Amino acid sequence: MLQVKPNTLVLAVGGQGIDLGVTAANGWQADSVRHLPFAAMDGVALSHAALLAQALESLEPGAVPAAIHVVLLDSWLGSAVMPWNSVVAVPAHAAQLARQHLVQAGIEAGAADTVVLDDAPFGAPRMVLCYPAEVMEALRQFAARTGAPLRSVQARSLAAWSQLPRKRGTGPAALAVLEGAAMTLVHGARNILEVTTRAAGAAGAGQELSALWRRSCLRDPQLATLEQVCLFDLGGTIAPGSPFEAAALPGMDGVPPALVLAARSKHAGSLDGVAARPGDTRPAWLVAMVCVALAGAWGQQAWQVRQAAQQLESKQQLAARAAQRSAPAPVAWNRDELARIPAVNAAIRQLNQPVGPVLRALVPPQELQVAVLGVDVGGGQAAGAGRLRIQAEARTGADMARYAAFVAQGQHFKDAYLSEHQVAPEAPGQPYRFTVEAVWRE
């Protein structure tokens, strides 16, 4: 069963061209499925946007579809993983932080590029995708010539992830997409955490994919526990070996598997390059009637609140006069004593901190290669009571992100976030040294 609505033009952009077709109620419209190859020009390397525009220009105009749905190669996009940070609650700060992580991943995101964030749960790392502006503009121009709205643009990894036969939040999962020499390896849990793209060499796609999986298991030991990894072999070129198992896509005569996968993909949510959301279509008169009805109720409620506030103010004035008559004389502090009060309060907070339970709660799980280097249980005057600064070292960025999520999800901490991190080039293996700030709670 196709996920996109009928009369939708579906574009599955691959490494050699574009598979496209128009959906119908029970499949595809007659004679709508076709393949548009990318033009090959000797000695000239065309950009992805130029390849896309040239292929789409060769498409003869036909009946106007209701919408356009596009699935792009992951190698055409940029991706990164952003550890949890409390600034994601502010959209402007979240976008700026997402672009910083793209730069750290070696991806140059232009000002006009579309950068989107995953809607991961609180405290969990977030996936960042970058849709190049040139590719999006080529798609928008094609939609304008076609006369249909560009409804959705998403990565092929998202389309494949939506086909996994599992429940969200049931532990780690992984999949691979193979089309010719292009390989994509995806893993995560409830949401995608990492996307790796490679081009197969002389050893062949099967051996290269197995080698890529072994390297991924070394970086993330949790992946080695998976007994099954779904393989979407869109070209049917290899016989999958353990732990890979061929994904089940419904066979459709004359329809390429890449186009079937694109048509079965679910909406990518906040990771969609377009993320079109229909507006509020309720009539204005209905809204006006609701406002008039609520105005009368709010007026009555406001009068009741005002009466209660006056009674409360009278009681507070009586209590204040009684307190003035019985209050002891204030203590006179000199300037030196007032200057010492913040330091005394900070020392008391540090002495009251349960150091033993704090250190036991910070011990990382065995599967994380993370070492706690130090804990500042004082935090200074500005840090506030109970504020901790945890300095730690991780072998990989993924371990750093998972440790920050481990602290944030612990029952003894709240308001935990990754405040700073850097790579230590002078240390063996160039580990990540980072700081997690959190508030201890009993």
Side-chain angles (χ1 to χ4, degrees), residues 78-102:
S79 64
V81 178
M82 186 175 74
W84 167 252
N85 196 310
S86 58
V87 303
V88 298
V90 182
H93 296 171
Q96 182 180 5
L97 189 61
R99 290 181 175 272
Q100 292 176 2
H101 280 82
L102 287 171

Side-chain angles (χ1 to χ4, degrees), residues 72-153:
L72 296 173
L73 279 173
D74 285 88
S75 58
W76 286 27
L77 312 178
S79 64
V81 178
M82 186 175 74
W84 167 252
N85 196 310
S86 58
V87 303
V88 298
V90 182
H93 296 171
Q96 182 180 5
L97 189 61
R99 290 181 175 272
Q100 292 176 2
H101 280 82
L102 287 171
V103 173
Q104 293 174 5
I107 299 165
E108 296 182 1
D113 292 346
T114 302
V115 177
V116 292
L117 274 171
D118 191 1
D119 56 352
F122 180 85
R126 298 198 170 209
M127 182 76 178
V128 182
L129 281 182
C130 176
Y131 293 85
E134 296 82 2
V135 173
M136 297 299 295
E137 181 60 25
L139 292 173
R140 280 191 287 265
Q141 292 180 4
F142 169 72
R145 292 196 307 270
T146 306
L150 183 61
R151 188 69 67 195
S152 173
V153 179

